[in-house]
Amino acid sequence: LRATRSQRNEFEQHGTALSKAVGFKLSSLPAILGAKGKQKNVSKLRLVDLLAQFVEFDTIALESVISSLQSARSITLNDVEAASKELNTSVTRLKQQLTSRGAGDMSLLEAYQPFLESAMASGANLVSDLQDLRATEKSLQLFLCADTMKLEEIISVITEALTMLSASIKDRAAVKLRSSSVCMSAPRQAAGRERFTMHRRSLQPSRPSVETMRQMFLQAANQ
């Protein structure tokens, strides 16, 4: 992303549709990557294509990150926090009910005790994880110039941007493959044309030499 911001500044100096942009915001990243130059020789070249051409990327790692981000796009942190709160409330209520009912029969509370302890520990761990995610959200907002974007919104924008990059890398690889195929087939095609020309020449009557033509002329003149 830092490389993207640097490339964007350099690209805008040569003229883009976003050349009047005042500041960078993460929400505009896909539009920036899709920006095209105004010069004729780069009118169809996008910023993301420049990145794919001049920056080396670990494509396997890139695809892995995209896959993970796509899986996380459907998760809303607010919904998970609400579900966590409801779960912990339910476990606490169940424990209270078992405690009140088990006053005369401790066997009931003892039977449910392992489940309650496991559920409460899992709930506490989930709360801790959610707090870490909120801290990560704030860090990403600051680091990525994301303002007040929610974590799922940040994930969505980054997923879209990386998907654009991956597609551009694949397109460029396909172009390289076609170019190399053409370069490799060109000598074979040239050799094939040469063999065809030689074959045609072999079928044509050979042109007699000057001496042969002179002898033929003398023979015809003496008849």
mmCIF file of all heavy atoms in Angstrom, residues 181-203:
data_model
loop_
_atom_site.group_PDB
_atom_site.id
_atom_site.type_symbol
_atom_site.label_atom_id
_atom_site.label_comp_id
_atom_site.label_asym_id
_atom_site.label_seq_id
_atom_site.Cartn_x
_atom_site.Cartn_y
_atom_site.Cartn_z
ATOM 1 N N SER A 181 5.358 -17.256 -27.138
ATOM 2 C CA SER A 181 4.932 -18.286 -28.081
ATOM 3 C C SER A 181 5.123 -17.817 -29.517
ATOM 4 O O SER A 181 5.562 -18.573 -30.385
ATOM 5 C CB SER A 181 3.463 -18.647 -27.838
ATOM 6 O OG SER A 181 3.277 -19.170 -26.542
ATOM 7 N N VAL A 182 4.807 -16.534 -29.752
ATOM 8 C CA VAL A 182 4.982 -15.975 -31.095
ATOM 9 C C VAL A 182 6.454 -15.939 -31.467
ATOM 10 O O VAL A 182 6.846 -16.288 -32.579
ATOM 11 C CB VAL A 182 4.372 -14.561 -31.167
ATOM 12 C CG1 VAL A 182 4.753 -13.880 -32.478
ATOM 13 C CG2 VAL A 182 2.862 -14.632 -31.032
ATOM 14 N N CYS A 183 7.300 -15.529 -30.498
ATOM 15 C CA CYS A 183 8.740 -15.457 -30.768
ATOM 16 C C CYS A 183 9.320 -16.833 -31.059
ATOM 17 O O CYS A 183 10.195 -16.990 -31.911
ATOM 18 C CB CYS A 183 9.468 -14.827 -29.576
ATOM 19 S SG CYS A 183 9.073 -13.076 -29.331
ATOM 20 N N MET A 184 8.834 -17.841 -30.339
ATOM 21 C CA MET A 184 9.347 -19.194 -30.546
ATOM 22 C C MET A 184 8.848 -19.789 -31.854
ATOM 23 O O MET A 184 9.549 -20.557 -32.510
ATOM 24 C CB MET A 184 8.934 -20.091 -29.373
ATOM 25 C CG MET A 184 9.599 -19.733 -28.054
ATOM 26 S SD MET A 184 9.016 -20.756 -26.695
ATOM 27 C CE MET A 184 9.565 -22.377 -27.235
ATOM 28 N N SER A 185 7.622 -19.437 -32.235
ATOM 29 C CA SER A 185 7.058 -20.015 -33.453
ATOM 30 C C SER A 185 7.539 -19.298 -34.706
ATOM 31 O O SER A 185 7.499 -19.857 -35.796
ATOM 32 C CB SER A 185 5.529 -19.963 -33.394
ATOM 33 O OG SER A 185 5.066 -18.625 -33.330
ATOM 34 N N ALA A 186 8.023 -18.049 -34.554
ATOM 35 C CA ALA A 186 8.464 -17.282 -35.720
ATOM 36 C C ALA A 186 9.579 -17.980 -36.487
ATOM 37 O O ALA A 186 9.514 -18.101 -37.714
ATOM 38 C CB ALA A 186 8.890 -15.879 -35.295
ATOM 39 N N PRO A 187 10.665 -18.463 -35.809
ATOM 40 C CA PRO A 187 11.707 -19.176 -36.567
ATOM 41 C C PRO A 187 11.177 -20.423 -37.257
ATOM 42 O O PRO A 187 11.578 -20.733 -38.381
ATOM 43 C CB PRO A 187 12.736 -19.527 -35.487
ATOM 44 C CG PRO A 187 12.502 -18.526 -34.401
ATOM 45 C CD PRO A 187 11.021 -18.297 -34.407
ATOM 46 N N ARG A 188 10.271 -21.143 -36.580
ATOM 47 C CA ARG A 188 9.713 -22.345 -37.195
ATOM 48 C C ARG A 188 8.887 -21.989 -38.422
ATOM 49 O O ARG A 188 8.922 -22.680 -39.439
ATOM 50 C CB ARG A 188 8.853 -23.106 -36.175
ATOM 51 C CG ARG A 188 9.656 -23.722 -35.033
ATOM 52 C CD ARG A 188 8.829 -24.770 -34.308
ATOM 53 N NE ARG A 188 7.654 -24.185 -33.689
ATOM 54 C CZ ARG A 188 7.623 -23.742 -32.438
ATOM 55 N NH1 ARG A 188 8.713 -23.799 -31.686
ATOM 56 N NH2 ARG A 188 6.517 -23.232 -31.934
ATOM 57 N N GLN A 189 8.118 -20.884 -38.307
ATOM 58 C CA GLN A 189 7.318 -20.462 -39.448
ATOM 59 C C GLN A 189 8.215 -20.038 -40.605
ATOM 60 O O GLN A 189 7.939 -20.342 -41.771
ATOM 61 C CB GLN A 189 6.396 -19.315 -39.036
ATOM 62 C CG GLN A 189 5.301 -19.736 -38.061
ATOM 63 C CD GLN A 189 4.471 -18.556 -37.603
ATOM 64 O OE1 GLN A 189 4.791 -17.411 -37.908
ATOM 65 N NE2 GLN A 189 3.400 -18.831 -36.871
ATOM 66 N N ALA A 190 9.314 -19.317 -40.258
ATOM 67 C CA ALA A 190 10.246 -18.885 -41.303
ATOM 68 C C ALA A 190 10.890 -20.089 -41.978
ATOM 69 O O ALA A 190 11.039 -20.138 -43.202
ATOM 70 C CB ALA A 190 11.315 -17.975 -40.703
ATOM 71 N N ALA A 191 11.275 -21.076 -41.155
ATOM 72 C CA ALA A 191 11.875 -22.284 -41.718
ATOM 73 C C ALA A 191 10.871 -23.030 -42.582
ATOM 74 O O ALA A 191 11.213 -23.575 -43.637
ATOM 75 C CB ALA A 191 12.385 -23.187 -40.594
ATOM 76 N N GLY A 192 9.620 -23.043 -42.149
ATOM 77 C CA GLY A 192 8.584 -23.709 -42.928
ATOM 78 C C GLY A 192 8.365 -23.032 -44.263
ATOM 79 O O GLY A 192 8.209 -23.698 -45.297
ATOM 80 N N ARG A 193 8.363 -21.694 -44.242
ATOM 81 C CA ARG A 193 8.197 -20.960 -45.499
ATOM 82 C C ARG A 193 9.371 -21.210 -46.429
ATOM 83 O O ARG A 193 9.209 -21.330 -47.645
ATOM 84 C CB ARG A 193 8.055 -19.461 -45.203
ATOM 85 C CG ARG A 193 6.707 -19.078 -44.602
ATOM 86 C CD ARG A 193 6.506 -17.574 -44.663
ATOM 87 N NE ARG A 193 7.485 -16.873 -43.851
ATOM 88 C CZ ARG A 193 7.301 -16.544 -42.585
ATOM 89 N NH1 ARG A 193 6.173 -16.871 -41.975
ATOM 90 N NH2 ARG A 193 8.227 -15.888 -41.912
ATOM 91 N N GLU A 194 10.582 -21.297 -45.855
ATOM 92 C CA GLU A 194 11.768 -21.547 -46.672
ATOM 93 C C GLU A 194 11.703 -22.926 -47.315
ATOM 94 O O GLU A 194 12.015 -23.092 -48.499
ATOM 95 C CB GLU A 194 13.025 -21.428 -45.802
ATOM 96 C CG GLU A 194 14.327 -21.646 -46.564
ATOM 97 C CD GLU A 194 14.567 -20.576 -47.613
ATOM 98 O OE1 GLU A 194 13.996 -19.467 -47.481
ATOM 99 O OE2 GLU A 194 15.313 -20.849 -48.571
ATOM 100 N N ARG A 195 11.265 -23.927 -46.503
ATOM 101 C CA ARG A 195 11.149 -25.276 -47.064
ATOM 102 C C ARG A 195 10.096 -25.322 -48.157
ATOM 103 O O ARG A 195 10.257 -25.984 -49.179
ATOM 104 C CB ARG A 195 10.805 -26.267 -45.950
ATOM 105 C CG ARG A 195 11.963 -26.563 -45.005
ATOM 106 C CD ARG A 195 11.662 -27.787 -44.162
ATOM 107 N NE ARG A 195 10.496 -27.580 -43.323
ATOM 108 C CZ ARG A 195 10.560 -27.097 -42.086
ATOM 109 N NH1 ARG A 195 11.736 -26.761 -41.559
ATOM 110 N NH2 ARG A 195 9.463 -26.939 -41.372
ATOM 111 N N PHE A 196 8.998 -24.593 -47.971
ATOM 112 C CA PHE A 196 7.936 -24.563 -48.977
ATOM 113 C C PHE A 196 8.437 -23.913 -50.261
ATOM 114 O O PHE A 196 8.145 -24.373 -51.368
ATOM 115 C CB PHE A 196 6.735 -23.794 -48.421
ATOM 116 C CG PHE A 196 5.596 -23.676 -49.404
ATOM 117 C CD1 PHE A 196 4.827 -24.779 -49.734
ATOM 118 C CD2 PHE A 196 5.300 -22.454 -49.998
ATOM 119 C CE1 PHE A 196 3.776 -24.669 -50.637
ATOM 120 C CE2 PHE A 196 4.260 -22.342 -50.897
ATOM 121 C CZ PHE A 196 3.494 -23.451 -51.222
ATOM 122 N N THR A 197 9.216 -22.831 -50.105
ATOM 123 C CA THR A 197 9.766 -22.146 -51.279
ATOM 124 C C THR A 197 10.720 -23.052 -52.034
ATOM 125 O O THR A 197 10.696 -23.123 -53.272
ATOM 126 C CB THR A 197 10.496 -20.864 -50.839
ATOM 127 O OG1 THR A 197 9.573 -20.024 -50.145
ATOM 128 C CG2 THR A 197 11.058 -20.121 -52.040
ATOM 129 N N MET A 198 11.570 -23.766 -51.264
ATOM 130 C CA MET A 198 12.509 -24.683 -51.906
ATOM 131 C C MET A 198 11.768 -25.802 -52.620
ATOM 132 O O MET A 198 12.165 -26.237 -53.705
ATOM 133 C CB MET A 198 13.463 -25.262 -50.860
ATOM 134 C CG MET A 198 14.403 -24.226 -50.249
ATOM 135 S SD MET A 198 15.436 -24.922 -48.955
ATOM 136 C CE MET A 198 16.371 -26.114 -49.897
ATOM 137 N N HIS A 199 10.664 -26.266 -52.012
ATOM 138 C CA HIS A 199 9.884 -27.326 -52.638
ATOM 139 C C HIS A 199 9.273 -26.842 -53.948
ATOM 140 O O HIS A 199 9.274 -27.556 -54.959
ATOM 141 C CB HIS A 199 8.791 -27.793 -51.681
ATOM 142 C CG HIS A 199 7.906 -28.866 -52.261
ATOM 143 N ND1 HIS A 199 8.370 -30.129 -52.561
ATOM 144 C CD2 HIS A 199 6.582 -28.837 -52.607
ATOM 145 C CE1 HIS A 199 7.386 -30.851 -53.058
ATOM 146 N NE2 HIS A 199 6.291 -30.085 -53.098
ATOM 147 N N ARG A 200 8.757 -25.604 -53.930
ATOM 148 C CA ARG A 200 8.177 -25.047 -55.148
ATOM 149 C C ARG A 200 9.237 -24.913 -56.231
ATOM 150 O O ARG A 200 8.993 -25.183 -57.406
ATOM 151 C CB ARG A 200 7.550 -23.685 -54.856
ATOM 152 C CG ARG A 200 6.271 -23.755 -54.032
ATOM 153 C CD ARG A 200 5.682 -22.376 -53.846
ATOM 154 N NE ARG A 200 5.403 -21.750 -55.135
ATOM 155 C CZ ARG A 200 5.042 -20.476 -55.270
ATOM 156 N NH1 ARG A 200 4.966 -19.699 -54.203
ATOM 157 N NH2 ARG A 200 4.782 -19.976 -56.463
ATOM 158 N N ARG A 201 10.423 -24.475 -55.800
ATOM 159 C CA ARG A 201 11.502 -24.328 -56.772
ATOM 160 C C ARG A 201 11.900 -25.664 -57.378
ATOM 161 O O ARG A 201 12.246 -25.764 -58.552
ATOM 162 C CB ARG A 201 12.715 -23.682 -56.101
ATOM 163 C CG ARG A 201 12.511 -22.199 -55.758
ATOM 164 C CD ARG A 201 13.692 -21.663 -54.994
ATOM 165 N NE ARG A 201 13.511 -20.251 -54.666
ATOM 166 C CZ ARG A 201 14.343 -19.561 -53.893
ATOM 167 N NH1 ARG A 201 15.412 -20.171 -53.353
ATOM 168 N NH2 ARG A 201 14.109 -18.279 -53.646
ATOM 169 N N SER A 202 11.838 -26.729 -56.536
ATOM 170 C CA SER A 202 12.230 -28.047 -57.042
ATOM 171 C C SER A 202 11.244 -28.564 -58.080
ATOM 172 O O SER A 202 11.597 -29.381 -58.935
ATOM 173 C CB SER A 202 12.342 -29.038 -55.888
ATOM 174 O OG SER A 202 11.070 -29.259 -55.298
ATOM 175 N N LEU A 203 10.002 -28.107 -58.003
ATOM 176 C CA LEU A 203 8.990 -28.543 -58.957
ATOM 177 C C LEU A 203 9.070 -27.765 -60.265
ATOM 178 O O LEU A 203 8.552 -28.208 -61.286
ATOM 179 C CB LEU A 203 7.591 -28.380 -58.344
ATOM 180 C CG LEU A 203 7.302 -29.244 -57.109
ATOM 181 C CD1 LEU A 203 5.905 -28.941 -56.581
ATOM 182 C CD2 LEU A 203 7.424 -30.731 -57.455
#
